[in-house]
Amino acid sequence: MNAAADATTFDAIVIGSGISGGWAAKELCDKGLKTLVLERGRNVTHIKDYPTANLAPWQLPHRGALTRKYREENPVASRIAAEDVVHFFVRDAEHPYVQERPFDWIRGYQVGGKSIMWGRACQRWSRYEFEAPERDGYGIAWPIGYDDVAPWYSHVEKFIGVCGTRDGIESMPDGEFLPPFDFNCVEQHMSDRIRAHYGNRHVVHGRWAHLTRPEPIHLQQGRSRCLARNLCWRGCPFGAYFSSNSSTLPWAEKTGNLTLRPDAVAHSIIYDERTNRATGVRVIDANTHAVSEYRARIVFVNASALNTVLILFNSVSARFPHGLGNDNGLLGKYVAFQNYRASGSGFIDGFDDKYYFGRRPSECILANFRNLGKQEMDFVGGYTTFTGAYRERGAVTAERVGGAYKDAQARPGPWKIYMYLQGETIPKEANHVRLDETQKDEWGMPLLVTSVGYDDNDEKMVRDWRTQATEMLAVAGCRDIETVDNHWSPGRDIHEMGGCRMGRDPETSLLNRWNQLHACPNVFVTDGACMTSTGNQSPSLLYMALTARAVNHAVEELARRNL
């Protein structure tokens, strides 16, 4: 299994080098498989290619702000990017897509993908999130439950390093945690007041992919302790937060089994009708546009949710004229996302003699308390609330110029508490992506059409969250409370999911319980495209766990000669 027959033949191919692709590469290489990782973007080497990692604000040409020209040319990317990280986001004009309804498709094409800029929140899903879609009638059944994935959560958490506390909350299970960052005094106050008032609402330390106290496995990766600079999305020269670049890809490379090819646009997966198996991947060189083919016994598709669907759509054959594995016509359908439309804040008096040290890169989490065990609201699904407290910059003063004003800016301002929503949305057939019939990009790939929107369930959830946030901020002792509905387009959360969902029935799903295409079992999809529903917890940790679980199954099946 180990020896590659030639430079184009491998045991396994992984499409994509982001958070799930990096994990596929690590697990496959650890198990002895010669593995090719295809990445459509440029190479980004850990530390060397983080040009702004150590710059102070005044060292950036525009102090961190985007120019008007960039904003006008990149209306989608500029909703997220800033001057210090703009080089990690794709430019709109270079990678066009068709918005049938407004949808912000945020992308990062480079080795490591969006794992360089990700939010790093790492809560486990609870059993409620796996069970609720079928129980409350807003989705099909997941083919797996929490117990199936729990050991793989532990496997991933130990390797990447996740800080947090064991809180015993049923809607947000505990994991393998490093010590948490500390609450500040107002966060502790808020947590105590909310728990005392409600009994079942828990504001706890965030579970974040940061090394607060590295274990030997992290030191072996060359990573070190987080210094609380909170400059993470520039790329961390200490490797203190997890990314493919700092962790899984270098680990895979050390096995001697990894071949990494940047600038390789995956065109399609090659299918052999005689064996009912995929045999490899057709690739377009991003710079020369030359076409080449690579062969392997198994293929992992981890190109990020919507690009994975695009590649499967483009993988046509006489057997699959509408896309690889798409016998039921559901490829590209039931695309969903997480709802980030609502936020709130309020000032809190007191604590004037208190401050905090450093720029903690994590937030507090208020675990979901809606629709647990049964539907009790006029909407389905639940929501997580991220929250925290901080001091505003500058003491309150009526002066606007002069020495008194300058002195006031050197003193800490009043305390403020913020909250924002991360809500579950319903996967619906109407929310879909498909290939444009005429337009192509410069590599000859059809453009993706996005047709995704909110529904009445989302509106009801936003209204309930704003009511509850207002109430909880008051319980915490806040004044001048405000909540807003920002009316962001879907996609800006960068948590798009679905389009190639897992399920028990090949009539209603594309993937089985091991993330294999029902109709082509040596192709695995383990990024966001595989999601049957969105849950309310951040999804990246689950992608990594599902990937490790699927690789283990794939290698066992290879040993049994079933693949």
Side-chain angles (χ1 to χ4, degrees):
M1 184 179 296
N2 290 340
D6 57 52
T8 62
T9 303
F10 299 83
D11 296 320
I13 295 174
V14 179
I15 302 174
S17 62
I19 213 157
S20 64
W23 259 93
K26 172 202 171 289
E27 295 291 291
L28 289 163
C29 289
D30 265 350
K31 295 179 183 300
L33 274 67
K34 293 294 185 185
T35 302
L36 171 67
V37 174
L38 299 170
E39 167 53 53
R40 65 173 298 152
R42 65 188 173 93
N43 194 20
V44 170
T45 300
H46 179 50
I47 301 176
K48 182 175 78 69
D49 292 321
Y50 304 151
T52 60
N54 294 313
L55 296 184
W58 56 87
Q59 294 175 297
L60 297 165
H62 305 94
R63 307 296 187 262
L66 296 172
T67 64
R68 178 179 297 178
K69 182 174 186 295
Y70 181 91
R71 289 181 178 278
E72 290 174 349
E73 293 177 350
N74 302 277
V76 173
S78 61
R79 293 190 177 101
I80 294 291
E83 186 180 37
D84 56 340
V85 294
V86 72
H87 45 283
F88 289 142
F89 291 88
V90 304
R91 291 177 177 267
D92 294 11
E94 295 175 359
H95 301 280
Y97 64 103
V98 181
Q99 299 182 59
E100 195 165 74
R101 289 185 281 176
F103 183 86
D104 294 334
W105 190 15
I106 310 296
R107 291 157 289 170
Y109 292 161
Q110 60 259 326
V111 168
K114 290 177 289 188
S115 78
I116 299 173
M117 313 92 82
W118 72 304
R120 310 172 307 282
C122 280
Q123 314 94 284
R124 293 186 180 198
W125 276 37
S126 71
R127 66 179 178 86
Y128 297 121
E129 289 159 285
F130 287 103
E131 297 169 359
E134 181 186 31
R135 183 198 68 200
D136 294 338
Y138 63 93
I140 63 170
W142 275 83
I144 58 174
Y146 176 75
D147 291 341
D148 294 303
V149 77
W152 297 101
Y153 270 136
S154 294
H155 178 70
V156 170
E157 288 163 343
K158 290 175 182 175
F159 189 82
I160 70 175
V162 177
C163 63
T165 49
R166 300 181 67 83
D167 302 297
I169 303 171
E170 196 172 10
S171 63
M172 194 169 71
D174 293 330
E176 311 289 338
F177 296 142
L178 303 173
F181 290 98
D182 292 334
F183 277 147
N184 62 44
C185 60
V186 172
E187 291 165 346
Q188 185 65 61
H189 167 83
M190 170 175 58
S191 177
D192 294 343
R193 292 286 292 268
I194 289 177
R195 185 170 304 190
H197 183 85
Y198 295 100
N200 65 343
R201 298 189 185 184
H202 308 276
V203 176
V204 300
H205 294 281
R207 287 95 187 258
W208 242 252
H210 282 260
L211 301 182
T212 51
R213 188 181 65 198
E215 300 287 340
I217 187 64
H218 309 126
L219 299 176
Q220 290 173 36
Q221 297 170 40
R223 301 167 59 199
S224 58
R225 182 173 185 160
C226 178
L227 301 182
R229 305 187 318 149
N230 200 21
L231 300 175
C232 313
W233 71 341
R234 297 180 180 184
C236 180
F238 308 100
Y241 77 88
F242 168 80
S243 70
S244 297
N245 308 68
S246 67
S247 178
T248 46
L249 291 176
W251 186 274
E253 186 177 23
K254 284 195 294 187
T255 67
N257 292 323
L258 175 70
T259 298
L260 174 62
R261 186 180 166 186
D263 301 311
V265 179
H267 173 276
S268 55
I269 297 167
I270 305 165
Y271 176 75
D272 184 343
E273 296 187 17
R274 294 174 298 115
T275 60
N276 187 31
R277 296 288 188 271
T279 58
V281 179
R282 187 170 294 111
V283 170
I284 302 171
D285 188 287
N287 299 314
T288 68
H289 293 197
V291 178
S292 55
E293 295 183 354
Y294 296 92
R295 304 284 170 174
R297 296 172 63 187
I298 56 175
V299 177
F300 272 72
V301 194
N302 300 87
S304 82
L306 300 189
N307 266 323
T308 284
V309 172
L310 191 160
I311 292 167
L312 292 173
F313 265 131
N314 209 41
S315 303
V316 294
S317 60
R319 167 68 180 84
F320 295 111
H322 305 296
L324 185 62
N326 191 21
D327 285 338
N328 54 24
L330 297 181
L331 181 65
K333 297 179 179 176
Y334 298 97
V335 170
F337 53 95
Q338 289 185 321
N339 187 343
Y340 273 76
R341 268 183 30 193
S343 62
S345 63
F347 291 97
I348 184 166
D349 296 324
F351 310 97
D352 293 337
D353 60 340
K354 302 290 194 306
Y355 201 70
Y356 41 84
F357 175 78
R359 300 173 185 158
R360 189 188 65 197
S362 65
E363 299 178 293
C364 310
I365 296 176
L366 201 168
N368 178 41
F369 52 85
R370 286 305 194 210
N371 296 327
L372 298 175
K374 62 178 181 179
Q375 184 182 346
E376 58 190 3
M377 305 302 296
D378 63 349
F379 59 86
V380 297
Y383 53 70
T384 291
T385 300
F386 291 99
T387 182
Y390 63 99
R391 295 196 76 164
E392 290 208 317
R393 184 172 184 176
V396 177
T397 176
E399 304 295 331
R400 288 295 176 265
V401 295
Y405 176 75
K406 178 182 176 183
D407 292 342
Q409 300 315 302
R411 296 195 299 272
W415 283 94
K416 198 169 188 180
I417 297 177
Y418 71 88
M419 294 181 172
Y420 64 90
L421 165 73
Q422 180 176 278
E424 184 172 3
T425 66
I426 301 174
K428 299 184 292 292
E429 186 170 2
N431 277 348
H432 72 279
V433 297
R434 64 182 189 275
L435 300 187
D436 190 275
E437 295 180 357
T438 58
Q439 300 182 79
K440 295 185 177 182
D441 65 17
E442 72 165 275
W443 299 277
M445 297 287 288
L447 300 193
L448 195 71
V449 179
T450 59
S451 185
V452 179
Y454 292 105
D455 61 19
D456 185 56
N457 195 74
D458 302 322
E459 304 298 334
K460 290 176 178 176
M461 181 180 288
V462 167
R463 284 198 293 272
D464 180 67
W465 186 92
R466 293 181 69 181
T467 300
Q468 296 306 308
T470 300
E471 184 180 288
M472 290 187 290
L473 288 167
V475 166
C478 286
R479 59 174 170 80
D480 300 330
I481 296 168
E482 293 182 336
T483 67
V484 296
D485 179 350
N486 55 48
H487 296 286
W488 284 349
S489 300
R492 185 164 169 176
D493 54 278
I494 325 182
H495 286 184
E496 60 268 19
M497 302 179 220
C500 186
R501 64 182 181 180
M502 298 171 71
R504 298 170 183 165
D505 184 354
E507 293 297 318
T508 59
S509 62
L510 277 298
L511 305 171
N512 69 12
R513 63 184 279 108
W514 301 108
N515 295 79
Q516 297 167 277
L517 281 174
H518 290 301
C520 186
N522 68 332
V523 174
F524 296 76
V525 176
T526 63
D527 61 12
C530 78
M531 299 291 278
T532 308
S533 62
T534 72
N536 61 82
Q537 305 291 0
S538 305
S540 297
L541 185 68
L542 182 54
Y543 301 164
M544 292 186 265
L546 290 175
T547 300
R549 179 177 179 270
V551 168
N552 186 66
H553 178 72
V555 173
E556 289 179 349
E557 289 294 282
L558 284 171
R560 298 187 188 106
R561 299 184 181 279
N562 290 335
L563 292 177

